[in-house]
């Protein structure tokens, strides 16, 4: 029997008791629910109870002592854990509960109300609890150790509340903001468990009086001891009273464990956290070590994150700045457009004046000997005056102009002229906006042609002297054309001759007074002007990247922060705030790569804010701690610098001083922190208010100074350090989405944690929630928070990857997601992330993958690596030359601008992904039985090493000595240059691509190396002679040799490489007299080998293999078409260009150089292709083609428009006779490119799910017993042409029955895209120069679809080919059997192309003898 007693004092007349039972959950209750609760209780618990009626009067409800009582009888084993109830006063309709929840009574002895252990509390709840507590105390600046300690205190608080009967649902309500923590603390926490777990603030505390004993630090309380509910509030009291931890544990019948650091599921170093839940944030007399040590980084357990579709993260929207600009019509727009097209305009610029007013300055000169006219026009409503002067060429010294150039009304002042603006009544100033005329003001200054001046300098002022208008705080500068202007400095490269770059360099180099304030104001102006279209010679991404380069040079201290001008903190912070708000606005108005560069600008400047606090608080600290303001003290020197010109340097100076204090006056710690931040003694002494002294140590003030300067560091970071995590989170405040706060709370409490994976996941998921909220674009505070989280993720990855080994694979998912969030154009990375997520768990978690799993992972890693290379290339292409040119113009040290682009890449989120790839790829390749090398053409070779960016750059070159090319890029469609004996590349062209086939045919070593180590050694061997030997195991070794030894060795192996191929000759066939022939007429001398081989396969293939219907335009049709009258002019021009190319070929054959500076062969061939595309196709060709296609069952084009597309494709195949790679290949073989006659095979495009190429003799090892195949999604052009980078699915099989039934997958596809085309026609080259015996002409000429092919992103990992092993085995087996069948039918090894339709049907589209 359980008795529930209610004292008379709380049970008023008319009070009612609502009772319910629950099993670890709170019972729902309400004013009308009594009967339902009673019935539910009866059904579950067999409780006999009277009706839920009022507890009133002198009835049976009163016991002998006059107390109201309810007696509940429970029969049998109780099924519920707790009895929940509330009270209601019917007289007042008032409900009474237990501080916002039910009264709760335990019903079963085994129903333990003790709080769950830390690892049983939901991680998300712990994280959100940390956030609401931090928010409750005003989001103070905390050290990592203090934040970790506060996290533990919050967890202990929840445990104590649960132990006192509070329910988990209630804590969730608080954590999710449904119940304010401040109200909950006042109403529940303090009455229930007191203030022992109150969040600690980092605000300055009253200094302890000198001599007062320090409070003794309490020992750390083990987590499981805290779980003993009956004594949870007594433990700290007993410890504080002097009891030892052992004595307290004995009273609680608890056995202490051996003194080892307590384990935390968070993995936070024990030494970095407070000893107990009540430890002081900054207390303790022991000095902190100079470099705190903790457990080594570990992978850690996953945080548990929601499943997301990575494709939902793709950023697809394109910028539409023009639409935004069209909304606002500006008065000066008409003049801007007019002067933009005026050929006399030498320079023009529109300057913002504030209040939406602008000023247009135009410099015009009709000819070099004509006078110069400078017009200044403004739409400001105020009367303004031009305060101006001029400067000599090469100087920015302000000097007086000659009297003869002064406009009417000018007044000469001291070293300046003042000229009032006059109303402009000319027709060119007649401007209307929305039907209303806008008055304009103008000044015109006329200068003689021989003026000898460099620039016009000026500022504006209002006529009443109340307002001055400047350009970013300095003079407006207008460059003037001059005959005697010095030659432009060679440092000004073409890449920075745009107006934006000239403006930046002009301001930076030629301003006599220049500070961060001026730079920030100027940058804000330029960002706004870019958005408004003032620099239309650059696209927005280009312009924004240039401004970023400039600001990054500033942030890294390569530009002056102060020159001849002092800036008070409040003025600097105002400039920072203006710039950062402008950048945030630009972020909201841009997308794609432009938005990416805009976002990166925020990393170069602090957010600004209340800069006055910097001046005020340093004084307060000095006064509060009785530190005098007098010379000879370090703090006074720093105070003077802060007072006159605070800069971002002050953040590391403060951090250095804190390290000094925490190290008990350790001056080494002070200098170490400064050194880490790049601040030298010389830099300190070079400030306008120099810091020449070292800090003084005040032992008695140590703790108070630490507290004060910890708070002051937060003030400095709020102004100068935009991407500081704590400052960013505090500034973002309530803008942070609720779904983000739990993850953010975790990050804030785990900065620097040794458990890397959960910290990474929390950072990235917080960023993801910010992005998905839709509030990130244009929000300055959220952008800074996003950048801070990105930086934390990068730091965590860099700490953890090195120690994780293959376990670093677990970091790949969050790091890829992190990169997707940062990129403006992120589609490919989103597909990479999707592919990674579809890999087996053994790969994703860093386990032990088997061979098949490792092969899949290698394919995804190759795709990711290629995406990273694209990011790197895009960055270098965008800012590489610009940063070098800016650096030279700014006078930056050589190393700084040479490494600029590389440092940007290394500091970005892509670098962390590359670290993971470096860590896991060797192990994956080993598990997949793949070495560091893939040998495509296994030939021994000796030559001199040359390093090139891409093989395409040197395909037309002839090397006089045997040369080994280390080519960074090989697409697959290049020609191997003459004299090249080996090509080594980190790229991965398909084994059956055109360049691979030609390498084997030419007996050139061709190999891919996947290991940076050997590649680095080979690059460093540039200019040396090396001998390469491919091994039977698929590796490549080399040794250094000499030119003499190489020559002797090369006589036997490579003497033919640089000489024409002997015995080769192209027979020139005559036109057969027919424009189109069918398959029955495919004969020698009429059509090429492609057509003949297809005809030869009829009736010789298995019934389940299809052959496409075909017709062919025979040899000579192109040349015959040129004989038409309408093509005579084209024929004449073609012959002229061909003769010029022949001259180059003759000089090449004679080893002589051509005279003159005429066009190169490549330029001449390009003109030939243009002419071929203009050839008029005879009407008879169209008619015959239509008739032949109908006869073959091929639907001809339906409309004139589609016939035009068909004939354009035909001309494109004819024009490919003049391809560069074909010319160089034929020249190398001693063949005349003009002897080629182009037959054109016409087929219907077979709908393709997959396309494949088969070589019935394994080209990797020349094994005739094996068939080798490659397969891709979509059209085969993505495989053979090299247009789509990445590897195909490669497989092989022995030609016996067992082998053909079980093909071996050698690698999976890493291609990012596939090619598709609508139901269409394809026109295939079928020339007489493609299949000469001993000559690999495949791929030299074009095959063109009538309709343009489209590239689409694909994910091979989700394809049935990967996901269904039985389907894969069946399909690959059918393809291998097909190759063996065709080889058997034709009698020789074959190079076969085919497709697999969506229904699984296989069609052979062409075959040729394998070379």
């Amino acid at each position: 029997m359980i008795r529930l007693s209610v004292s008379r004092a709380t049970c008023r007349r008319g009070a009612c008791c609502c009772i319910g039972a629950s099993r670890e959950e709170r019972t729902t209750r309400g004013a009308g629910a009594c009967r339902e609760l009673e019935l539910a209780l009866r059904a579950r618990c067999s409780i006999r109870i009277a009706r839920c009626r009022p507890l009133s009067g002198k009835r049976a409800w009163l016991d002998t002592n006059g107390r109201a009582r309810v007696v509940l009888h429970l029969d049998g084993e109780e099924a519920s854990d707790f009895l929940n109830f509330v009270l209601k006063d019917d007289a007042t309709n008032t409900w009474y509960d237990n501080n916002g929840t039910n009264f709760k009574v335990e019903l079963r002895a085994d129903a333990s109300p003790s709080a769950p252990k830390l690892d049983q509390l939901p991680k998300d709840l712990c994280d959100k609890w940390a956030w609401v507590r931090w928010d409750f105390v005003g989001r103070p600046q905390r050290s990592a150790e203090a934040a970790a300690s506060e996290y533990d205190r919050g967890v202990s608080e929840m445990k104590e509340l649960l132990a006192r009967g509070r329910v988990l649902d209630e804590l969730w309500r608080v954590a999710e903001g449904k119940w304010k923590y401040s109200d909950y603390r006042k109403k529940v926490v303090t009455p229930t468990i007191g203030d022992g777990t109150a969040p600690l603030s980092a605000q300055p505390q009253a200094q302890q009086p000198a001599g007062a004993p320090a409070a003794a630090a309490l020992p750390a309380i083990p987590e499981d001891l805290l779980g003993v509910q009956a004594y949870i509030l007594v433990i700290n009291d007993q410890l504080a009273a002097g009891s030892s931890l052992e004595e307290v544990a004995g009273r609680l019948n608890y056995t202490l464990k051996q003194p080892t650091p307590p384990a935390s599921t968070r993995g936070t170093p024990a030494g970095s956290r407070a000893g107990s839940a009540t430890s002081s944030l900054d207390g303790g007399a022991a000095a902190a070590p100079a470099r705190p040590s903790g457990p080594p980084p570990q992978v850690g357990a996953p945080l548990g994150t929601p499943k997301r579709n990575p494709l939902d993260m793709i950023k697809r929207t394109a910028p539409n700045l023009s639409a935004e600009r069209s909304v606002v019509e500006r008065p000066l727009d008409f003049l801007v457009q007019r002067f933009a097209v005026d050929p006399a305009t030498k320079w023009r610029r529109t300057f913002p004046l504030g209040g939406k007013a602008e000023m247009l300055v135009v410099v015009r000169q009709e000819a070099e000997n004509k006078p110069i006219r400078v017009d200044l026009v403004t739409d400001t409503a105020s009367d303004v005056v031009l305060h101006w002067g001029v400067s000599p060429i090469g100087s920015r010294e302000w000097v007086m102009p000659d009297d003869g150039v002064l406009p009417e009304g000018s007044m000469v002042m001291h070293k300046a002229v003042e000229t009032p603006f006059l109303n402009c009544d000319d027709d060119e100033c007649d401007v209307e906006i929305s039907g209303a005329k806008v008055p304009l003001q103008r000044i015109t200054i006329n200068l003689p042609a021989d003026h000898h001046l460099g620039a016009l300098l000026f500022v504006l002022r209002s006529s009443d002297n109340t307002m001055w208008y400047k350009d970013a705080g300095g003079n407006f500068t207008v460059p003037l054309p001059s005959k005697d202007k010095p030659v432009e400095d060679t440092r000004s490269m073409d890449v920075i001759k745009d107006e934006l770059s000239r403006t930046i360099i002009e301001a930076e180099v030629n301003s006599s007074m220049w500070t961060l304030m001026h730079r920030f104001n100027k940058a804000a102006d330029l960002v706004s002007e870019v958005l408004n279209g003032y620099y239309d010679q650059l696209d927005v991404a280009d312009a924004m990247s240039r401004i970023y380069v400039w600001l990054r040079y500033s942030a890294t201290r390569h530009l002056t922060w102060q020159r001849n001008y002092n800036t008070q903190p409040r003025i600097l912070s105002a400039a920072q705030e203006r710039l950062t708000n402008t950048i945030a606005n630009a972020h909201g108005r841009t997308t794609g790569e432009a938005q990416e560069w805009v976002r990166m600008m925020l990393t170069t400047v602090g957010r600004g804010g209340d800069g006055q606090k910097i001046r005020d608080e340093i004084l307060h600290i000095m006064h509060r701690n009785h530190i005098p303001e007098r010379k000879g003290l370090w703090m006074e020197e720093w105070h003077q610098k802060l007072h006159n010109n605070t800069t971002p340097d002050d953040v590391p100076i403060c951090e250095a001083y804190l390290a000094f204090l925490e190290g008990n006056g350790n001056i080494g710690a002070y200098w170490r922190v400064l050194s880490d931040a790049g601040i030298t003694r010389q830099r300190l002494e070079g400030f306008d208010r120099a810091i020449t002294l070292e800090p003084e140590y005040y032992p008695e003030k140590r703790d108070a100074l630490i507290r004060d300067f910890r708070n002051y560091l937060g003030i400095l970071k709020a102004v100068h350090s935009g991407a500081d995590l704590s400052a960013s989170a505090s500034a973002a405040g309530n803008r942070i989405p609720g779904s983000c706060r739990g993850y953010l709370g975790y990050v804030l409490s785990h900065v620097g944690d040794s458990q890397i994976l959960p910290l990474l996941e929390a950072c990235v998921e917080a960023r993801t929630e910010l992005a998905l909220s839709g509030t990130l674009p244009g929000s300055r505070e959220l952008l800074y928070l996003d950048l801070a989280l990105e930086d934390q993720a990068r730091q965590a990855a860099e700490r953890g990857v090195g120690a994780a080994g293959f376990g670093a694979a677990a970091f790949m998912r969050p790091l890829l997601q992190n990169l997707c969030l940062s990129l403006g154009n992120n589609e490919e990375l989103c597909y990479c992330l999707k592919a990674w997520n579809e890999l087996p768990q053994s790969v994703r978690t860093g386990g032990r993958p088997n061979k098949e799993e490792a092969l899949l992972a290698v394919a995804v890693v190759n795709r990711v690596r290629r995406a990273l290379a694209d990011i790197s290339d895009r960055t270098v292409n965008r800012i590489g030359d610009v940063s070098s040119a800016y650096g030279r113009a700014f006078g930056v040290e050589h190393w700084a601008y040479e490494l600029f682009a590389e440092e940007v890449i290394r500091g970005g989120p892509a670098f962390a992904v590359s670290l993971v790839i470096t860590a896991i790829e060797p192990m994956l390749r080993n598990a997949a039985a793949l070495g560091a090398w893939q040998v495509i053409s296994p030939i021994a070779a000796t030559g001199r090493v040359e390093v090139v960016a891409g093989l395409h750059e040197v395909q037309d070159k002839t090397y006089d000595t045997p040369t080994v090319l280390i080519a960074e890029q090989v697409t697959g469609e290049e020609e191997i240059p003459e004299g090249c004996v080996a090509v080594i590349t980190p790229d991965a062209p398909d084994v059956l691509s055109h360049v691979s086939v030609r390498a084997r045919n030419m007996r050139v070593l061709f190999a891919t190396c996947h290991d940076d180590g050997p590649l680095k050694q080979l690059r460093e061997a540039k200019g040396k002679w090396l001998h390469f030997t491919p091994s039977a195991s698929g590796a490549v070794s080399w040794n250094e040799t000499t030119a003499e030894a190489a020559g002797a060795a090369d006589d036997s192996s490579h003497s033919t490489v640089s000489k024409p191929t002997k015995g080769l000759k192209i027979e020139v066939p005559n036109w057969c007299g027919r424009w189109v022939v069918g398959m029955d007429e495919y004969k020698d001398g009429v059509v090429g080998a492609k057509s003949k081989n297809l005809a030869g396969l009829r009736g010789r293939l298995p019934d389940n293999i299809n052959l496409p219907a075909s017709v062919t335009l025979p040899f000579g049709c192109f040349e015959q078409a040129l004989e038409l009258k309408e093509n005579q002019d084209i024929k004449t021009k073609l012959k002229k260009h061909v003769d010029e190319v022949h001259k180059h070929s003759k000089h090449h054959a004679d080893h002589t150089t051509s005279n003159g500076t005429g066009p190169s062969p490549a330029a001449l061939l390009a003109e030939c292709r243009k002419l071929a595309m203009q050839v008029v196709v005879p009407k008879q060709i169209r008619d015959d083609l239509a008739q032949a296609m109908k006869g073959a069952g091929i639907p001809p084009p339906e409309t004139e428009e589609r016939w035009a597309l068909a004939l354009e494709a035909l001309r494109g195949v004819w024009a490919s006779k003049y391809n560069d790679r074909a010319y160089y290949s034929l020249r190398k073989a001693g063949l005349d490119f003009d002897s080629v006659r182009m037959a054109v095979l016409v087929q219907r495009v077979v709908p393709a799910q997959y396309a494949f190429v088969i070589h019935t003799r394994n080209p990797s090892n020349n094994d005739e017993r094996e068939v080798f195949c490659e397969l891709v999604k979509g059209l085969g052009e993505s495989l053979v042409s090299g247009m789509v980078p990445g590897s195909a699915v490669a497989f092989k099989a022995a030609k016996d029955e067992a082998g053909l039934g079980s093909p071996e997958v050698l690698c999976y596809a890493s291609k990012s895209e596939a090619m598709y085309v609508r139901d269409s026609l394809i026109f295939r080259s079928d020339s007489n120069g493609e299949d000469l015996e001993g000559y690999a002409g495949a791929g030299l000429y074009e095959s063109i679809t009538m309709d343009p092919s489209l590239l689409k992103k694909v994910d091979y990992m989700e394809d049935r080919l990967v996901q269904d092993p039985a389907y894969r085995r069946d399909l690959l087996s059918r393809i291998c059997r097909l190759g063996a069948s065709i080889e058997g039918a034709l009698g020789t090894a074959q190079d076969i192309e085919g497709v697999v339709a969506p229904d699984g049907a296989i069609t052979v589209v062409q075959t040729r003898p394998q070379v």
Side-chain angles (χ1 to χ4, degrees), residues 595-645:
Q595 188 183 68
E596 185 179 338
W597 289 108
V598 169
R599 175 179 176 272
M600 290 173 64
M601 286 184 205
L602 288 177
T603 65
T604 66
V605 57
R607 69 168 44 81
D610 191 358
Q612 187 61 32
K613 277 188 178 180
I614 294 177
R615 300 183 76 185
D616 296 343
E617 186 60 24
I618 188 65
L619 279 174
H620 294 163
I621 292 173
M622 295 177 71
H623 295 165
R624 193 159 50 237
N625 292 277
H626 308 294
I627 298 175
E629 298 177 56
R630 63 175 174 81
K631 291 184 178 180
L633 294 178
W634 173 88
M635 194 172 295
E636 174 60 15
E637 288 187 336
W638 187 31
H639 160 233
Q640 288 301 319
K641 178 196 178 300
L642 292 164
H643 186 86
N644 286 277
N645 201 48

Side-chain angles (χ1 to χ4, degrees), residues 581-871:
N581 280 325
T582 302
I583 293 172
N585 173 58
H587 184 270
R589 293 179 58 186
T590 54
T591 58
E593 192 182 352
Q595 188 183 68
E596 185 179 338
W597 289 108
V598 169
R599 175 179 176 272
M600 290 173 64
M601 286 184 205
L602 288 177
T603 65
T604 66
V605 57
R607 69 168 44 81
D610 191 358
Q612 187 61 32
K613 277 188 178 180
I614 294 177
R615 300 183 76 185
D616 296 343
E617 186 60 24
I618 188 65
L619 279 174
H620 294 163
I621 292 173
M622 295 177 71
H623 295 165
R624 193 159 50 237
N625 292 277
H626 308 294
I627 298 175
E629 298 177 56
R630 63 175 174 81
K631 291 184 178 180
L633 294 178
W634 173 88
M635 194 172 295
E636 174 60 15
E637 288 187 336
W638 187 31
H639 160 233
Q640 288 301 319
K641 178 196 178 300
L642 292 164
H643 186 86
N644 286 277
N645 201 48
T646 182
T647 63
D649 281 333
D650 293 316
V651 173
I653 290 174
C654 186
E655 291 173 332
Y657 184 56
L658 279 168
F660 168 78
L661 293 172
E662 291 166 350
N664 292 329
N666 185 345
I667 196 63
Y670 169 81
W671 286 111
R672 184 181 62 249
V673 173
L674 290 177
S675 177
D676 290 345
I679 299 178
T680 63
R681 186 186 295 272
Q682 290 75 16
R683 182 167 182 83
L684 293 174
E685 294 174 350
F687 292 144
D688 188 62
R689 294 293 192 273
I691 300 177
T692 61
L693 303 172
E694 293 182 338
E696 303 80 19
Y697 183 57
Y698 307 97
E700 72 286 358
K701 299 180 175 66
R702 172 187 177 275
D703 293 346
L705 287 172
I706 288 175
R707 285 192 297 271
D708 283 350
F709 278 102
R710 179 71 61 190
N711 176 63
Y712 192 60
L713 179 62
I715 295 173
L716 290 170
K717 285 185 174 182
V719 174
H720 293 303
S721 301
D724 177 74
L725 179 61
S726 181
S728 297
S730 179
N734 293 331
R735 298 180 183 87
I736 301 173
S739 56
C740 171
R741 293 181 181 182
Y743 297 117
L744 181 56
Y746 184 93
V747 177
L748 286 166
S749 306
H750 294 72
V751 172
D753 203 354
S754 64
Q755 303 290 300
I756 303 300
L757 180 58
L759 179 57
L760 264 181
E761 290 181 333
C763 289
V764 175
E765 289 303 319
R767 292 193 66 203
T768 304
E769 293 297 338
L770 285 175
L772 294 179
S773 71
T775 59
L776 187 61
S779 173
R780 183 184 70 155
E781 307 308 340
L782 293 183
L783 284 169
Y784 270 123
L785 178 58
D786 183 62
L787 286 165
L789 288 165
E790 177 192 79
D791 186 59
Q792 287 299 319
R794 179 187 60 80
Q795 291 183 38
E798 292 178 359
R799 285 200 315 274
V801 169
F806 188 69
F811 302 155
M812 182 66 89
R813 184 198 63 78
L815 288 176
L816 279 176
Q817 187 171 330
N818 187 57
L819 182 55
C820 290
L821 293 167
S822 299
L823 293 178
N825 298 321
N826 68 348
E827 183 179 21
E828 173 58 15
L829 264 298
C830 289
Y831 272 93
C832 289
L833 174 58
K834 184 175 184 291
W836 180 266
N837 289 345
E838 289 159 350
L839 288 174
Q841 186 177 9
S842 59
V843 175
R844 290 182 286 108
T845 59
R848 292 181 177 272
N850 58 33
K851 180 179 179 180
E852 179 73 10
E853 293 168 339
L855 281 172
L856 291 170
V858 168
V860 177
V861 166
N862 286 340
R863 181 171 183 174
V864 174
R865 187 201 297 107
R866 193 171 61 251
L868 296 182
D870 288 343
I871 294 171

Side-chain angles (χ1 to χ4, degrees), residues 18 26 62 119 295 334 413 1128 1149 1346 1377:
C18 263
R26 192 178 69 188
L62 299 179
D119 56 1
F334 173 76
M413 313 273 299
Q1128 285 301 302
M1346 183 177 78
R1377 291 180 188 278

Side-chain angles (χ1 to χ4, degrees), residues 288-308:
R291 290 189 183 272
S293 60
Q298 303 172 13
V299 174
L303 191 64
T305 55
K307 290 186 178 179
R308 306 182 190 275

